[in-house]
């Protein structure tokens, strides 16, 4: 290649300089057509030469690989205390509520173990189904398994399906409150309609003329599965409706006359460990060994959205596996369906004169603490002194690894590790469930990345709703 200095000199040319000297003799001059051809050639050749030379020297974007500064490798430091708080708070939010009577505020937090996280959630207001000008509130958790595809779909579609079902309920002409039984039935119908749509869409999609990539996208929500926990608050009736499919859990904390917080379950975990659920499945499939060690044919929940392996006909399962790389066929499956998305719905009156709160969480939290322990933790968080002003002495622990958790040391929450240092009560619950004031246990669990993190923690999603201001810290009261 020519030196750059020479190349630049040759690029500074005119049409005349590219012609032989004889063309400029007085006896012979170039014709106009010849000059035009030369000019066009220059117009093409000069930029091309410039690009080949200049772009290669100036626009080269290939990175330089740096030599390591030492002859050994190291990793980034493990989470320190401020970094632990940052990790726990990364997916958190606080929402004061001004114009829904009875609701003061709600907090939320999410800490992932899977990548991407298989938990999804919703929260917010929507118009009353009765078109009375009031606003209802909704909070929802969707704990996916076998991937997050089903849970992601529920995030977008479950509340609209339930609202559509509620809108079909007719109020009495005298304007009386709609009976709770009708509301519960409508919520159940919304859940089941969505799951039927997921399963039936897959059946019709396989035989359609759609492109392969479109079929796969429409089939995927049926390949994986998800639990669903949806709470709806009607401020006019002062009623909280909770619908549960799976093993996420809702608990109501109420202040008793003795000044202690009482835990009232608003849902029941639907797994093979639930005797009523196990009996129901055995009655539906007599002679089959369906529930073993708390699992339904290897699945953790007895009710769920998706999970097509437990619902599709056997011949269709084999077809989907061969044509679309769907879930592999389980030889123990004989007479599907085994699970349902039909929720159990409870309706609870909220006393506006007494402080109470709702805790909703995926099983990643409940694996670590009981319902009463969670309520007690929120109660401690509500004590008059704010977290940032607390001066609890920091305990000293011996150097720690996970070995003792296999040898008698409690790996779940214990009261002695309780700490209160977070402004967000959902973050407070997650922190205490994973180690509390035992920093090395907490930081060690958070330092593990997927897939190994599943040995130490699950995806955790928590929402806490405060229904009454009395007994809550003044700084978090609404302004009305």
């Amino acid at each position: 290649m020519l030196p750059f200095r020479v190349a630049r000199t040759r690029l500074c040319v005119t049409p005349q300089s590219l012609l032989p000297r004889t063309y400029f003799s007085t006896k012979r001059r170039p014709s106009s057509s010849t000059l035009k051809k030369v000019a066009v050639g220059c117009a093409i050749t000069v930029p091309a030469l410039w690009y080949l030379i200049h772009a290669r020297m100036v626009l080269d974007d290939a990175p330089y690989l740096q030599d390591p500064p030492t002859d050994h490798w190291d990793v980034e430091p493990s989470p320190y205390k401020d970094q632990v708080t940052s990790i726990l708070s990364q997916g958190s939010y606080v929402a004061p509520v001004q114009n829904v009577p009875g609701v003061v505020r709600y907090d939320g937090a999410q800490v992932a173990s899977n990548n991407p996280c298989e938990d999804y959630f919703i929260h917010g207001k929507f118009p009353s189904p009765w078109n009375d000008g009031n606003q209802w509130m909704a909070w929802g958790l969707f704990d996916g398994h076998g991937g997050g595809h089903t849970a992601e779909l529920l995030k977008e579609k479950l509340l609209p399906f339930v609202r559509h079902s509620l809108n079909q309920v007719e109020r009495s002409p005298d304007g009386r409150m709609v009976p709770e039984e009708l509301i519960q039935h409508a919520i159940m119908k919304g859940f089941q309609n969505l799951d039927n749509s997921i399963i039936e869409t897959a059946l019709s999609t396989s035989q359609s003329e759609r492109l392969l990539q479109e079929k796969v996208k429409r089939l995927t929500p049926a390949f994986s599965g998800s639990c669903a926990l949806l709470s709806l608050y009607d401020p006019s009736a002062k009623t909280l409706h909770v619908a549960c499919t799976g093993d996420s859990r809702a608990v109501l904390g109420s202040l008793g006359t003795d000044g202690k917080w009482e835990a009232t379950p608003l849902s029941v975990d639907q797994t093979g460990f639930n005797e009523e659920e196990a009996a129901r499945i055995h009655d539906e499939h007599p002679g089959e060994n369906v529930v073993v060690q708390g699992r339904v044919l290897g699945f953790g929940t007895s009710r769920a959205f998706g999970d097509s392996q437990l619902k599709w006909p056997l011949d269709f399962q084999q077809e989907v596996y061969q044509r679309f790389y769907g879930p592999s066929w389980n030889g123990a499956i004989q007479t599907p369906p085994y699970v349902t998305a039909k929720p159990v719905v409870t309706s609870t009156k909220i006393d506006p004169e007494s402080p109470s709160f709702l805790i909703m969480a995926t099983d990643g939290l409940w694996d670590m603490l009981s319902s009463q322990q969670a309520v007690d933790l929120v109660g401690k968080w509500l004590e008059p002194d704010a977290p940032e002003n607390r001066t609890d002495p920091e305990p000293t622990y011996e150097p720690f690894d996970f070995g003792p958790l296999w040898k008698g040391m409690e790996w779940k929450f214990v009261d002695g590790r309780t700490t209160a240092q977070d402004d967000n009560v959902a973050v407070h619950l997650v922190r205490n469930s994973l180690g509390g004031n035992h920093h090395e246990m907490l930081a060690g669990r958070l330092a593990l990345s997927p897939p190994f993190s599943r040995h130490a923690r699950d995806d955790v999603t928590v929402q806490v709703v405060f229904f009454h201001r009395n007994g809550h810290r003044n700084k978090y009261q609404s302004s009305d």
Side-chain angles (χ1 to χ4, degrees):
M1 178 178 289
L2 293 172
F4 188 64
R5 178 178 56 82
V6 176
R8 289 189 58 187
T9 302
R10 294 194 176 184
L11 289 176
C12 299
V13 295
T14 62
Q16 290 85 355
S17 65
L18 294 175
L19 297 174
R21 287 181 180 273
T22 54
Y23 281 149
F24 296 97
S25 67
T26 55
K27 295 181 179 180
R28 185 180 179 184
R29 299 184 61 83
S31 66
S32 60
S33 63
T34 301
L35 288 173
K36 288 180 180 179
K37 293 178 181 178
V38 173
V40 170
C42 289
I44 297 174
T45 304
V46 172
L49 287 172
W50 182 92
Y51 177 81
L52 289 173
I53 297 170
H54 186 72
R56 182 166 181 175
M57 299 187 65
V58 178
L59 302 181
D60 186 355
D61 62 354
Y64 283 97
L65 301 176
Q66 301 293 333
D67 291 333
T70 63
D71 58 356
H72 69 278
W73 67 275
D74 202 350
V75 296
E76 295 183 1
S78 61
Y80 293 105
K81 292 185 178 180
D82 56 341
Q83 293 171 314
V84 164
T85 298
S86 177
I87 293 171
L88 294 174
S89 303
Q90 187 173 10
S92 67
Y93 51 91
V94 173
V97 180
Q98 299 291 336
N99 56 358
V100 178
V103 180
V104 179
R105 99 176 206 173
Y106 60 88
D107 297 11
Q110 182 176 80
V111 176
S113 178
N114 294 296
N115 186 17
C117 182
E118 295 179 353
D119 283 4
Y120 289 82
F121 59 87
I122 61 170
H123 55 86
K125 297 177 287 188
F126 65 94
S128 165
W130 323 134
N131 297 317
D132 56 8
N134 291 317
Q135 298 286 325
W136 283 31
M137 295 209 69
W139 303 271
L141 305 178
F142 315 111
D143 181 0
H145 49 262
H149 311 290
T150 313
E152 185 175 15
L153 179 68
L154 297 185
K155 174 188 174 183
E156 302 297 330
K157 300 297 184 182
L158 183 57
L159 182 59
F161 267 70
V162 170
R163 289 182 60 189
H164 176 76
S165 185
L166 286 169
N167 289 336
Q168 309 308 307
V169 178
E170 295 185 4
R171 298 190 71 180
S172 59
D174 58 7
R176 288 182 299 177
M177 291 293 179
V178 178
E180 291 179 355
E181 294 78 8
L182 293 181
I183 296 175
Q184 292 176 356
H185 178 74
I187 295 172
M188 292 179 190
K189 185 177 179 181
F191 272 56
Q192 291 175 289
N193 285 347
L194 177 54
D195 191 56
N196 290 339
S197 176
I198 293 172
I199 299 302
E200 292 170 5
T201 293
L203 289 165
S204 61
T205 295
S206 68
Q207 304 303 325
S208 70
E209 298 299 323
R210 297 176 182 272
L211 297 173
L212 173 61
Q213 59 269 33
E214 295 178 0
K215 291 182 179 181
V216 169
K217 293 290 287 186
R218 292 170 69 86
L219 284 164
T220 301
F223 290 174
S224 56
S226 180
C227 303
L229 181 64
L230 181 67
S231 294
L232 306 176
Y233 180 65
D234 174 2
S236 296
K238 300 180 179 62
T239 302
L240 178 69
H241 305 284
V242 176
C244 178
T245 292
D247 60 358
S248 295
R249 189 186 307 170
V251 179
L252 184 69
S254 305
L255 191 62
T257 56
D258 59 357
K260 296 181 180 180
W261 292 96
E262 301 173 357
T264 302
L266 302 184
S267 67
V268 177
D269 300 353
Q270 298 159 1
T271 71
F273 292 108
N274 182 323
E275 294 182 0
E276 292 184 4
E277 287 291 287
R280 175 182 64 82
I281 294 174
H282 283 305
D283 289 344
E284 294 173 355
H285 304 274
E288 296 183 50
N289 193 22
V290 180
V291 180
V292 178
Q293 295 182 345
R295 304 185 73 85
V296 180
L297 294 173
F299 286 73
T301 58
S302 56
R303 303 193 189 203
F305 283 83
D307 284 342
S308 56
Q309 282 180 283
L310 301 179
K311 298 175 182 177
W312 281 339
L314 296 181
D315 55 350
F316 184 68
Q317 290 192 40
Q318 296 178 35
E319 175 188 342
V320 170
Y321 174 68
Q322 294 170 355
R323 295 178 57 198
F324 305 106
Y325 292 133
S328 59
W329 180 63
N330 185 339
I333 295 175
Q334 301 176 39
T335 58
Y338 293 94
V339 301
T340 175
K342 182 179 180 179
V344 174
V345 184
T346 62
S347 298
T348 305
K349 292 293 183 180
I350 301 298
D351 183 0
E353 301 303 321
S354 178
S356 60
F357 53 82
L358 168 70
I359 303 174
M360 297 173 56
T362 56
D363 66 329
L365 183 80
W366 305 118
D367 287 342
M368 297 295 176
L369 45 77
S370 69
S371 298
Q372 185 62 57
Q373 287 172 332
V375 168
D376 289 341
L377 280 168
V378 175
K380 183 173 180 61
W381 184 86
L382 285 169
E383 291 176 359
D385 52 330
E388 63 269 23
N389 296 328
R390 297 216 169 115
T391 58
D392 297 337
E394 189 171 300
T396 300
Y397 292 99
E398 296 294 326
F400 172 81
D401 61 33
F402 295 120
L405 299 183
W406 300 89
K407 301 176 182 179
M409 183 177 183
E410 185 56 65
W411 64 282
K412 296 184 178 182
F413 168 80
V414 293
D415 188 66
R417 294 200 292 260
T418 300
T419 183
Q421 55 185 283
D422 301 291
D423 288 336
N424 183 312
V425 68
V427 174
H428 168 73
L429 285 173
V430 177
R431 181 191 296 273
N432 281 281
S433 73
L434 295 178
N437 62 25
H438 194 316
H439 171 72
E440 197 165 11
M441 177 186 291
L442 174 60
R445 277 176 161 153
L446 294 175
L448 283 167
S449 58
F452 310 105
S453 54
R454 287 303 303 271
H455 297 302
R457 69 182 196 277
D458 194 1
D459 294 333
V460 183
T461 306
V462 182
Q463 293 175 327
V464 182
V465 184
F466 295 104
F467 288 108
H468 190 64
R469 70 182 65 192
N470 292 340
H472 294 201
R473 292 196 298 272
N474 290 333
K475 65 182 290 189
Y476 296 132
Q477 292 181 1
S478 60
S479 59
D480 57 352

